Amino acid sequence: MSCGGPHEVPCQDVLHSLILFIDHEIEDQQQVQKIEIHFQECPPCQEELTHEQTVMAKLKQLLSGSCN
């Protein structure tokens, strides 16, 4: 997945860090900022971020409901 444009952080690296990014587990704030900029510049990666956030939210909702 790539928009074809040049990025400081390549799409593949961003996608490999996606879950860590969503869970706020990346401690290096410069890296977080670079990934955020990448999402602003790259619509396909932004779509994947949105998709993963939606899936994770639904999973949390299902798990929460089954635990109650």
Side-chain angles (χ1 to χ4, degrees):
M1 169 181 307
S2 175
C3 64
H7 302 286
E8 186 172 352
V9 181
C11 294
Q12 184 173 350
D13 293 350
V14 168
L15 295 175
H16 282 269
S17 302
L18 191 58
I19 300 302
L20 295 174
F21 178 80
I22 291 170
D23 286 342
H24 306 287
E25 293 184 23
I26 300 173
E27 294 182 15
D28 182 349
Q29 289 305 307
Q30 287 182 330
Q31 185 67 15
V32 170
Q33 188 174 28
K34 289 177 185 178
I35 292 172
E36 289 172 341
I37 290 169
H38 182 99
F39 287 128
Q40 293 170 8
E41 297 173 345
C42 184
C45 287
Q46 175 63 47
E47 286 178 29
E48 187 63 24
L49 172 64
T50 301
H51 172 76
E52 290 295 328
Q53 287 173 323
T54 301
V55 169
M56 288 183 72
K58 288 183 188 247
L59 282 172
K60 287 178 184 178
Q61 179 184 10
L62 287 171
L63 287 171
S64 175
S66 69
C67 291
N68 290 333

